[in-house]
Coordinates of all heavy atoms in Angstrom, one line a residue:
V87 N -33.5 -54.5 -41.3 CA -33.4 -55.0 -42.7 C -32.1 -55.8 -42.8 O -31.0 -55.3 -42.6 CB -33.4 -53.8 -43.6 CG1 -33.3 -54.2 -45.1 CG2 -34.6 -52.9 -43.5
G88 N -32.2 -57.0 -43.2 CA -31.0 -57.9 -43.4 C -30.4 -57.8 -44.7 O -29.3 -58.4 -44.9
Q89 N -31.0 -57.2 -45.7 CA -30.5 -57.1 -47.0 C -30.8 -55.8 -47.6 O -31.7 -55.1 -47.1 CB -31.0 -58.2 -47.9 CG -32.5 -58.2 -48.1 CD -33.0 -59.4 -48.9 OE1 -32.2 -60.1 -49.5 NE2 -34.3 -59.5 -49.1
G90 N -30.2 -55.5 -48.7 CA -30.4 -54.2 -49.4 C -29.2 -53.3 -49.5 O -28.1 -53.7 -49.0
A91 N -29.4 -52.2 -50.1 CA -28.3 -51.2 -50.3 C -28.7 -50.0 -49.5 O -29.7 -49.3 -49.8 CB -28.1 -50.9 -51.8
L92 N -27.9 -49.6 -48.5 CA -28.1 -48.4 -47.7 C -27.8 -47.2 -48.5 O -26.7 -47.1 -49.1 CB -27.2 -48.5 -46.4 CG -27.2 -47.3 -45.5 CD1 -28.6 -47.1 -44.9 CD2 -26.1 -47.4 -44.5
V93 N -28.7 -46.2 -48.5 CA -28.5 -45.0 -49.1 C -27.7 -44.1 -48.2 O -28.1 -43.7 -47.1 CB -29.8 -44.3 -49.5 CG1 -29.5 -42.9 -50.1 CG2 -30.6 -45.2 -50.4
F94 N -26.4 -43.8 -48.5 CA -25.5 -43.0 -47.7 C -25.7 -41.5 -48.0 O -25.7 -40.7 -47.1 CB -24.1 -43.4 -48.0 CG -23.1 -42.7 -47.1 CD1 -23.0 -42.9 -45.8 CD2 -22.2 -41.8 -47.7 CE1 -22.0 -42.2 -45.0 CE2 -21.3 -41.1 -47.0 CZ -21.2 -41.3 -45.6
R95 N -25.9 -41.2 -49.3 CA -26.0 -39.8 -49.7 C -27.1 -39.8 -50.8 O -27.2 -40.7 -51.6 CB -24.7 -39.3 -50.3 CG -24.0 -38.4 -49.4 CD -22.8 -37.7 -50.2 NE -22.1 -38.6 -51.1 CZ -20.9 -38.9 -51.1 NH1 -20.1 -38.5 -50.1 NH2 -20.3 -39.7 -51.9
A96 N -27.9 -38.7 -50.8 CA -28.8 -38.4 -51.9 C -28.9 -36.9 -52.1 O -29.2 -36.2 -51.1 CB -30.2 -39.1 -51.6
S97 N -28.7 -36.5 -53.3 CA -28.8 -35.0 -53.5 C -30.3 -34.6 -53.3 O -31.2 -35.4 -53.4 CB -28.4 -34.7 -55.0 OG -29.3 -35.2 -55.9
A98 N -30.5 -33.3 -53.2 CA -31.8 -32.8 -53.1 C -32.7 -33.1 -54.3 O -33.9 -33.4 -54.2 CB -31.8 -31.2 -52.8
G99 N -32.0 -33.1 -55.5 CA -32.8 -33.4 -56.7 C -33.2 -34.8 -56.7 O -34.4 -35.1 -57.1
V100 N -32.4 -35.8 -56.3 CA -32.7 -37.2 -56.3 C -33.8 -37.4 -55.2 O -34.8 -38.1 -55.5 CB -31.5 -38.1 -56.0 CG1 -31.9 -39.5 -55.6 CG2 -30.5 -38.1 -57.2
T101 N -33.7 -36.8 -54.1 CA -34.7 -36.9 -53.0 C -36.1 -36.4 -53.5 O -37.1 -37.1 -53.4 CB -34.3 -36.2 -51.8 OG1 -33.1 -36.8 -51.2 CG2 -35.4 -36.2 -50.7
E102 N -36.1 -35.3 -54.2 CA -37.3 -34.7 -54.8 C -37.9 -35.6 -55.9 O -39.1 -35.8 -55.9 CB -37.1 -33.3 -55.3 CG -38.3 -32.6 -55.8 CD -38.1 -31.2 -56.2 OE1 -37.1 -30.5 -55.7 OE2 -38.8 -30.7 -57.1
L103 N -37.0 -36.1 -56.7 CA -37.5 -36.9 -57.9 C -38.0 -38.3 -57.4 O -39.0 -38.7 -58.0 CB -36.3 -37.1 -58.8 CG -36.6 -37.9 -60.1 CD1 -37.5 -37.1 -61.0 CD2 -35.2 -38.1 -60.8
T104 N -37.3 -38.9 -56.5 CA -37.7 -40.3 -56.1 C -38.3 -40.5 -54.8 O -39.0 -41.5 -54.5 CB -36.5 -41.2 -56.2 OG1 -35.6 -40.8 -55.1 CG2 -35.8 -41.2 -57.5
G105 N -38.1 -39.6 -53.9 CA -38.6 -39.7 -52.5 C -37.6 -40.4 -51.6 O -37.8 -40.5 -50.4
I106 N -36.5 -40.9 -52.1 CA -35.5 -41.6 -51.3 C -34.6 -40.6 -50.5 O -34.4 -39.5 -51.0 CB -34.7 -42.6 -52.2 CG1 -34.1 -43.7 -51.3 CG2 -33.6 -41.8 -53.0 CD1 -33.9 -45.0 -52.1
Q107 N -34.2 -41.1 -49.3 CA -33.4 -40.2 -48.5 C -32.2 -41.0 -47.9 O -32.3 -42.2 -47.8 CB -34.3 -39.7 -47.3 CG -35.5 -38.9 -47.7 CD -36.3 -38.6 -46.5 OE1 -36.0 -38.9 -45.3 NE2 -37.5 -37.9 -46.7
P108 N -31.2 -40.3 -47.4 CA -30.1 -41.0 -46.7 C -30.7 -41.8 -45.6 O -31.6 -41.3 -44.9 CB -29.2 -39.8 -46.3 CG -29.4 -38.7 -47.2 CD -30.9 -38.8 -47.6
G109 N -30.2 -43.0 -45.4 CA -30.6 -43.9 -44.3 C -31.7 -44.9 -44.8 O -31.9 -45.9 -44.2
D110 N -32.3 -44.6 -46.0 CA -33.2 -45.6 -46.5 C -32.4 -46.8 -47.0 O -31.2 -46.7 -47.3 CB -33.9 -45.0 -47.7 CG -34.9 -44.0 -47.3 OD1 -35.3 -43.8 -46.1 OD2 -35.4 -43.2 -48.2
V111 N -33.0 -48.0 -47.2 CA -32.4 -49.2 -47.7 C -33.2 -49.6 -48.9 O -34.4 -50.0 -48.8 CB -32.4 -50.3 -46.6 CG1 -31.7 -51.6 -47.2 CG2 -31.6 -49.8 -45.4
I112 N -32.5 -49.6 -50.0 CA -33.1 -50.1 -51.3 C -33.1 -51.6 -51.3 O -32.1 -52.2 -51.2 CB -32.3 -49.5 -52.5 CG1 -32.3 -48.0 -52.5 CG2 -33.0 -50.1 -53.8 CD1 -31.3 -47.4 -53.5
V113 N -34.3 -52.2 -51.5 CA -34.5 -53.6 -51.5 C -34.9 -54.2 -52.8 O -34.9 -55.4 -53.1 CB -35.4 -54.1 -50.3 CG1 -34.8 -53.8 -49.0 CG2 -36.8 -53.5 -50.5
Q114 N -35.4 -53.3 -53.7 CA -35.8 -53.7 -55.0 C -35.7 -52.6 -56.0 O -36.1 -51.4 -55.7 CB -37.2 -54.3 -55.0 CG -37.7 -54.9 -56.3 CD -39.0 -55.7 -56.1 OE1 -39.3 -56.2 -55.1 NE2 -39.8 -55.6 -57.1
I115 N -35.3 -52.8 -57.2 CA -35.3 -51.9 -58.3 C -36.1 -52.6 -59.5 O -35.6 -53.6 -60.0 CB -33.9 -51.4 -58.8 CG1 -33.2 -50.8 -57.6 CG2 -34.0 -50.5 -60.0 CD1 -31.7 -50.5 -57.9
N116 N -37.2 -52.0 -59.8 CA -38.1 -52.7 -60.8 C -38.4 -54.1 -60.3 O -38.8 -54.2 -59.1 CB -37.6 -52.6 -62.2 CG -37.6 -51.2 -62.7 OD1 -38.4 -50.3 -62.3 ND2 -36.8 -50.9 -63.7
S117 N -38.1 -55.1 -61.1 CA -38.4 -56.5 -60.6 C -37.1 -57.2 -60.0 O -37.1 -58.3 -59.7 CB -38.9 -57.3 -61.8 OG -38.0 -57.4 -62.8
T118 N -36.0 -56.4 -59.8 CA -34.8 -57.0 -59.4 C -34.6 -56.8 -57.9 O -34.6 -55.6 -57.4 CB -33.6 -56.3 -60.1 OG1 -33.8 -56.4 -61.5 CG2 -32.3 -56.9 -59.7
A119 N -34.5 -57.9 -57.2 CA -34.3 -57.8 -55.7 C -32.8 -57.4 -55.5 O -31.9 -57.7 -56.2 CB -34.4 -59.2 -55.1
I120 N -32.7 -56.5 -54.5 CA -31.3 -55.9 -54.2 C -30.9 -56.4 -52.8 O -31.6 -56.2 -51.8 CB -31.4 -54.4 -54.2 CG1 -31.9 -53.9 -55.5 CG2 -30.1 -53.8 -53.8 CD1 -31.0 -54.2 -56.7
R121 N -29.7 -57.1 -52.7 CA -29.2 -57.5 -51.5 C -28.0 -56.8 -51.0 O -27.6 -56.8 -49.9 CB -28.9 -59.0 -51.6 CG -30.2 -59.9 -51.7 CD -29.9 -61.4 -51.8 NE -29.1 -61.7 -53.0 CZ -29.6 -62.0 -54.2 NH1 -30.9 -62.0 -54.4 NH2 -28.8 -62.2 -55.2
T122 N -27.3 -56.1 -52.0 CA -26.0 -55.4 -51.7 C -26.0 -54.1 -52.5 O -26.7 -54.0 -53.5 CB -24.8 -56.3 -52.1 OG1 -24.8 -56.5 -53.5 CG2 -24.8 -57.7 -51.4
A123 N -25.0 -53.3 -52.1 CA -24.8 -52.0 -52.9 C -24.3 -52.4 -54.3 O -24.7 -51.7 -55.3 CB -23.8 -51.2 -52.2
E124 N -23.5 -53.4 -54.5 CA -23.1 -53.8 -55.8 C -24.2 -54.2 -56.7 O -24.3 -53.9 -57.9 CB -22.0 -54.9 -55.7 CG -21.5 -55.4 -57.1 CD -20.8 -54.3 -57.9 OE1 -20.2 -53.4 -57.3 OE2 -20.9 -54.3 -59.1
E125 N -25.2 -55.0 -56.2 CA -26.4 -55.4 -56.9 C -27.2 -54.1 -57.3 O -27.7 -54.1 -58.4 CB -27.2 -56.3 -56.1 CG -26.6 -57.7 -56.1 CD -27.5 -58.7 -55.3 OE1 -28.6 -58.3 -54.8 OE2 -27.1 -59.9 -55.2
A126 N -27.3 -53.1 -56.4 CA -28.0 -51.9 -56.8 C -27.3 -51.2 -57.9 O -28.0 -50.8 -58.9 CB -28.1 -51.0 -55.6
K127 N -26.0 -51.1 -57.9 CA -25.3 -50.5 -59.0 C -25.5 -51.2 -60.3 O -25.8 -50.6 -61.3 CB -23.8 -50.4 -58.7 CG -22.9 -49.8 -59.8 CD -21.5 -50.0 -59.6 CE -20.6 -49.4 -60.7 NZ -21.1 -49.6 -62.1
R128 N -25.4 -52.5 -60.3 CA -25.7 -53.3 -61.5 C -27.1 -53.1 -62.0 O -27.3 -53.0 -63.2 CB -25.4 -54.8 -61.3 CG -23.9 -55.2 -61.3 CD -23.7 -56.7 -61.4 NE -24.4 -57.5 -60.4 CZ -23.9 -57.9 -59.3 NH1 -22.6 -57.6 -59.0 NH2 -24.5 -58.7 -58.5
A129 N -28.1 -53.0 -61.1 CA -29.4 -52.8 -61.6 C -29.6 -51.4 -62.2 O -30.3 -51.3 -63.2 CB -30.4 -53.1 -60.4
F130 N -29.0 -50.4 -61.5 CA -29.1 -49.1 -62.1 C -28.5 -49.0 -63.5 O -29.1 -48.4 -64.4 CB -28.5 -48.0 -61.2 CG -29.3 -47.7 -60.0 CD1 -28.8 -47.8 -58.7 CD2 -30.6 -47.2 -60.1 CE1 -29.6 -47.4 -57.6 CE2 -31.4 -46.8 -59.0 CZ -30.9 -46.9 -57.8
D131 N -27.4 -49.7 -63.6 CA -26.7 -49.7 -64.9 C -27.6 -50.4 -66.0 O -27.7 -50.0 -67.1 CB -25.3 -50.4 -64.9 CG -24.3 -49.6 -64.1 OD1 -24.5 -48.4 -63.9 OD2 -23.3 -50.2 -63.7
Y132 N -28.2 -51.6 -65.6 CA -29.0 -52.4 -66.5 C -30.2 -51.6 -66.9 O -30.6 -51.6 -68.1 CB -29.4 -53.7 -65.8 CG -30.4 -54.5 -66.6 CD1 -29.9 -55.3 -67.6 CD2 -31.8 -54.4 -66.3 CE1 -30.8 -56.0 -68.4 CE2 -32.7 -55.2 -67.1 CZ -32.2 -55.9 -68.2 OH -33.1 -56.7 -68.9
Y133 N -30.9 -50.9 -66.0 CA -32.2 -50.2 -66.3 C -31.9 -48.8 -66.9 O -32.9 -48.2 -67.4 CB -33.1 -50.1 -65.1 CG -33.6 -51.4 -64.7 CD1 -33.3 -52.0 -63.5 CD2 -34.5 -52.1 -65.5 CE1 -33.8 -53.3 -63.1 CE2 -35.0 -53.3 -65.2 CZ -34.7 -53.9 -64.0 OH -35.2 -55.1 -63.6
A134 N -30.7 -48.3 -67.0 CA -30.4 -47.0 -67.5 C -30.9 -46.9 -69.0 O -30.6 -47.8 -69.8 CB -28.9 -46.7 -67.4
G135 N -31.7 -45.9 -69.3 CA -32.1 -45.6 -70.6 C -33.3 -46.5 -71.1 O -33.6 -46.6 -72.3
K136 N -33.9 -47.3 -70.2 CA -35.0 -48.2 -70.5 C -36.3 -47.7 -70.0 O -37.2 -48.6 -69.7 CB -34.6 -49.6 -70.0 CG -33.4 -50.2 -70.6 CD -33.2 -51.6 -70.2 CE -32.0 -52.2 -70.9 NZ -31.6 -53.5 -70.4
G137 N -36.5 -46.4 -69.9 CA -37.8 -45.9 -69.5 C -37.9 -45.7 -68.0 O -36.9 -45.7 -67.3
Y138 N -39.1 -45.7 -67.5 CA -39.3 -45.4 -66.1 C -39.0 -46.6 -65.2 O -39.2 -47.7 -65.6 CB -40.7 -45.0 -65.8 CG -41.0 -43.5 -66.2 CD1 -41.5 -43.2 -67.4 CD2 -40.7 -42.5 -65.4 CE1 -41.8 -41.9 -67.8 CE2 -40.9 -41.2 -65.7 CZ -41.4 -40.9 -67.0 OH -41.7 -39.6 -67.4
S139 N -38.4 -46.3 -64.0 CA -38.1 -47.3 -63.0 C -38.7 -46.9 -61.7 O -39.1 -45.7 -61.5 CB -36.6 -47.4 -62.8 OG -35.9 -47.9 -64.0
Q140 N -38.8 -47.9 -60.8 CA -39.2 -47.6 -59.4 C -38.4 -48.4 -58.5 O -37.9 -49.5 -58.9 CB -40.7 -48.0 -59.2 CG -41.6 -46.9 -59.7 CD -43.1 -47.1 -59.2 OE1 -43.6 -48.2 -59.5 NE2 -43.6 -46.2 -58.5
M141 N -38.2 -47.9 -57.3 CA -37.5 -48.7 -56.2 C -38.5 -49.0 -55.1 O -39.4 -48.2 -54.9 CB -36.4 -47.8 -55.6 CG -35.3 -47.5 -56.6 SD -34.0 -46.5 -55.8 CE -34.8 -44.9 -55.9
I142 N -38.2 -50.1 -54.4 CA -38.9 -50.3 -53.2 C -37.8 -50.2 -52.1 O -36.7 -50.7 -52.3 CB -39.5 -51.7 -53.1 CG1 -40.6 -51.8 -54.2 CG2 -40.0 -52.1 -51.7 CD1 -41.3 -53.2 -54.3
F143 N -38.1 -49.4 -51.1 CA -37.1 -49.2 -50.1 C -37.7 -49.2 -48.7 O -38.9 -49.1 -48.5 CB -36.4 -47.8 -50.3 CG -37.3 -46.6 -50.3 CD1 -37.5 -45.9 -49.1 CD2 -37.9 -46.2 -51.5 CE1 -38.3 -44.8 -49.1 CE2 -38.7 -45.1 -51.5 CZ -38.9 -44.4 -50.3
V144 N -36.9 -49.4 -47.7 CA -37.3 -49.5 -46.3 C -36.8 -48.2 -45.6 O -35.6 -47.9 -45.7 CB -36.8 -50.8 -45.6 CG1 -37.1 -50.8 -44.2 CG2 -37.3 -52.0 -46.4
R145 N -37.7 -47.6 -44.8 CA -37.4 -46.5 -44.0 C -38.1 -46.7 -42.6 O -39.3 -46.8 -42.6 CB -37.9 -45.2 -44.6 CG -37.6 -43.9 -43.8 CD -38.2 -42.7 -44.4 NE -37.6 -42.4 -45.7 CZ -38.3 -41.8 -46.7 NH1 -39.5 -41.3 -46.5 NH2 -37.7 -41.6 -47.8
G146 N -37.3 -46.7 -41.6 CA -37.9 -46.9 -40.2 C -38.7 -48.1 -40.1 O -39.7 -48.1 -39.3
G147 N -38.3 -49.2 -40.7 CA -39.0 -50.5 -40.6 C -40.2 -50.6 -41.5 O -40.8 -51.7 -41.6
A148 N -40.6 -49.6 -42.2 CA -41.8 -49.6 -43.1 C -41.2 -49.7 -44.6 O -40.2 -49.1 -44.9 CB -42.7 -48.5 -42.9
Q149 N -42.0 -50.3 -45.4 CA -41.6 -50.4 -46.8 C -42.4 -49.4 -47.7 O -43.6 -49.2 -47.5 CB -41.9 -51.9 -47.3 CG -41.2 -52.2 -48.6 CD -41.3 -53.7 -49.0 OE1 -42.4 -54.1 -49.4 NE2 -40.3 -54.4 -48.7
Y150 N -41.6 -48.8 -48.6 CA -42.2 -47.8 -49.5 C -41.8 -48.0 -50.9 O -40.8 -48.7 -51.2 CB -41.7 -46.4 -49.1 CG -42.1 -46.0 -47.7 CD1 -41.2 -46.2 -46.6 CD2 -43.2 -45.3 -47.4 CE1 -41.5 -45.9 -45.3 CE2 -43.6 -44.9 -46.1 CZ -42.7 -45.2 -45.1 OH -43.0 -44.8 -43.8
R151 N -42.6 -47.4 -51.8 CA -42.3 -47.5 -53.3 C -41.9 -46.1 -53.7 O -42.7 -45.1 -53.4 CB -43.5 -48.0 -54.1 CG -43.3 -48.1 -55.5 CD -44.5 -48.7 -56.3 NE -44.9 -50.0 -55.8 CZ -44.4 -51.1 -56.2 NH1 -43.5 -51.1 -57.1 NH2 -44.8 -52.3 -55.7
S152 N -40.9 -45.9 -54.4 CA -40.4 -44.6 -54.9 C -41.4 -44.1 -56.0 O -42.2 -44.8 -56.6 CB -39.0 -44.7 -55.5 OG -39.1 -45.3 -56.8
L153 N -41.3 -42.8 -56.2 CA -42.0 -42.2 -57.4 C -41.3 -42.8 -58.6 O -40.1 -43.1 -58.6 CB -41.8 -40.7 -57.3 CG -42.5 -40.0 -56.1 CD1 -42.0 -38.6 -56.0 CD2 -44.0 -40.2 -56.1
P154 N -42.0 -42.9 -59.7 CA -41.3 -43.3 -61.0 C -40.2 -42.3 -61.4 O -40.4 -41.1 -61.3 CB -42.5 -43.4 -62.0 CG -43.7 -43.4 -61.2 CD -43.4 -42.7 -59.9
F155 N -39.1 -42.9 -61.9 CA -38.0 -42.0 -62.3 C -37.3 -42.7 -63.5 O -37.5 -43.9 -63.7 CB -37.1 -41.8 -61.2 CG -36.4 -43.0 -60.7 CD1 -35.2 -43.4 -61.1 CD2 -37.1 -43.8 -59.7 CE1 -34.6 -44.6 -60.7 CE2 -36.5 -45.0 -59.2 CZ -35.3 -45.4 -59.7
I156 N -36.5 -41.9 -64.2 CA -35.8 -42.4 -65.4 C -34.3 -42.4 -65.0 O -33.8 -41.4 -64.5 CB -36.0 -41.5 -66.6 CG1 -37.4 -41.7 -67.1 CG2 -35.0 -41.9 -67.7 CD1 -37.8 -40.8 -68.3
I157 N -33.6 -43.5 -65.2 CA -32.2 -43.6 -64.9 C -31.5 -43.3 -66.2 O -31.7 -43.8 -67.3 CB -31.8 -45.1 -64.5 CG1 -32.6 -45.5 -63.3 CG2 -30.3 -45.2 -64.3 CD1 -32.5 -47.0 -63.0
R158 N -30.6 -42.3 -66.1 CA -29.8 -41.9 -67.3 C -28.5 -42.5 -67.4 O -27.9 -42.9 -66.5 CB -29.7 -40.4 -67.4 CG -31.1 -39.8 -67.5 CD -31.0 -38.3 -67.6 NE -32.4 -37.8 -67.7 CZ -32.8 -36.6 -67.4 NH1 -31.9 -35.7 -67.0 NH2 -34.0 -36.3 -67.4

């Protein structure tokens, strides 16, 4: 993966809620493409409190969609 935000840590609650795990690479949050960790932070801040969100992430070379979740 040449772009995205590497997930370094994820609590058990976050993993259960979204399906994301350490080592995954977030490449999209809702309709926002993610190229860096800073872009991921900005997108999480932007979508906070705006209803359900989803992420697209890469794990082991395959692309996945997270479960819907709410950013607080």
Side-chain angles (χ1 to χ4, degrees):
V87 178
Q89 61 180 353
L92 175 66
V93 177
F94 181 70
R95 257 190 319 243
S97 70
V100 168
T101 296
E102 185 177 331
L103 182 67
T104 66
I106 202 151
Q107 301 175 3
D110 291 346
V111 178
I112 300 168
V113 294
Q114 187 172 324
I115 301 171
N116 292 339
S117 61
T118 304
I120 302 299
R121 292 179 298 272
T122 66
E124 181 59 33
E125 286 182 358
K127 181 191 178 315
R128 282 196 305 266
F130 282 125
D131 289 345
Y132 175 79
Y133 290 113
K136 295 185 178 173
Y138 283 95
S139 293
Q140 281 192 301
M141 294 179 282
I142 296 177
F143 60 92
V144 175
R145 177 185 299 152
Q149 196 173 77
Y150 299 91
R151 182 178 301 275
S152 75
L153 299 170
F155 61 95
I156 294 177
I157 302 168
R158 296 185 183 157

